[in-house]
Amino acid sequence: MEIEIENIESLKDIAEIEEQVALPEKKVDELGRAYATGKRKNAVARVWLKAGSGAIKINNKTSDDYFARPVLRMLINQPLVAADRVDQFDIICSVTGGGLSGQAGAIRHGISKCLVSFEPEVKKALKPGGFLTRDSRVVERKKYGRAKARRSFQFSKR
């Protein structure tokens, strides 16, 4: 799609065209659920989202039981708050691998992707917040001749 810019009015036309860009289609199974996979560090979360009362179940436990720290519960709710959809969806997810922080990030990523597949217009609210981007930072590997990935052994002159 090639557009020539001649004056400032044509820039306004380009902004209108960008707003009309096709959103992804709604992907829902026969039970009315949206599915997505979220990843963070070594954690992988499989997330199902359907219309409901706002219950969040993680590995057959409530979110309060699974994540004791309030920061991790807040992390999971961020996409729902950004999309203004708190207490509108029931979320069921199974998460494996990594620690609790990585698992919370994976669930957050999965919920964001589920929201977009359930309601494509929500993408405009989630994309600027970085909820749809997979955080690719992982632990650096340990190198030989080092105590950890970068830490050297203590230097001794004698």
Side-chain angles (χ1 to χ4, degrees):
M1 184 165 108
E2 189 175 315
I3 301 172
E4 292 184 26
I5 299 173
E6 298 172 1
N7 54 21
I8 293 180
E9 284 76 29
S10 62
L11 284 175
K12 294 177 184 174
D13 295 337
I14 292 171
E16 292 173 7
I17 291 171
E18 288 178 352
E19 289 177 8
Q20 297 172 359
V21 171
L23 292 171
E25 75 253 8
K26 183 176 179 176
K27 295 178 187 171
V28 179
D29 65 3
E30 62 276 354
L31 298 175
R33 301 177 303 183
Y35 170 79
T37 303
K39 296 182 180 181
R40 169 81 170 96
K41 293 186 178 180
N42 281 335
V44 179
R46 300 182 305 157
V47 180
W48 289 269
L49 180 133
K50 64 179 180 178
S53 61
I56 300 175
K57 293 203 89 171
I58 304 162
N59 291 349
N60 294 323
K61 294 182 181 180
T62 63
S63 62
D64 294 341
D65 292 339
Y66 196 81
F67 293 117
R69 285 189 276 168
V71 174
L72 299 177
R73 291 195 299 267
M74 182 223 25
L75 196 72
I76 290 172
N77 287 322
Q78 278 181 337
L80 298 169
V81 171
D84 197 28
R85 301 290 191 271
V86 180
D87 297 333
Q88 293 183 12
F89 294 107
D90 287 340
I91 298 167
I92 300 169
C93 57
S94 62
V95 62
T96 59
L100 289 177
S101 176
Q103 288 182 353
I107 293 170
R108 173 184 175 219
H109 185 226
I111 289 172
S112 303
K113 288 169 64 176
C114 268
L115 280 170
V116 171
S117 61
F118 197 87
E119 294 182 25
E121 62 272 4
V122 172
K123 185 174 182 177
K124 293 176 184 173
L126 296 176
K127 185 75 171 168
F131 296 110
L132 300 174
T133 306
R134 188 222 194 274
D135 191 352
S136 60
R137 295 175 295 168
V138 292
V139 177
E140 190 174 346
R141 77 171 189 89
K142 183 194 177 302
K143 281 77 172 188
Y144 58 89
R146 299 273 177 168
K148 293 169 46 176
R150 297 187 180 199
R151 167 118 170 61
S152 303
F153 294 112
Q154 184 173 350
F155 176 73
S156 174
K157 199 167 195 179
R158 291 177 186 76

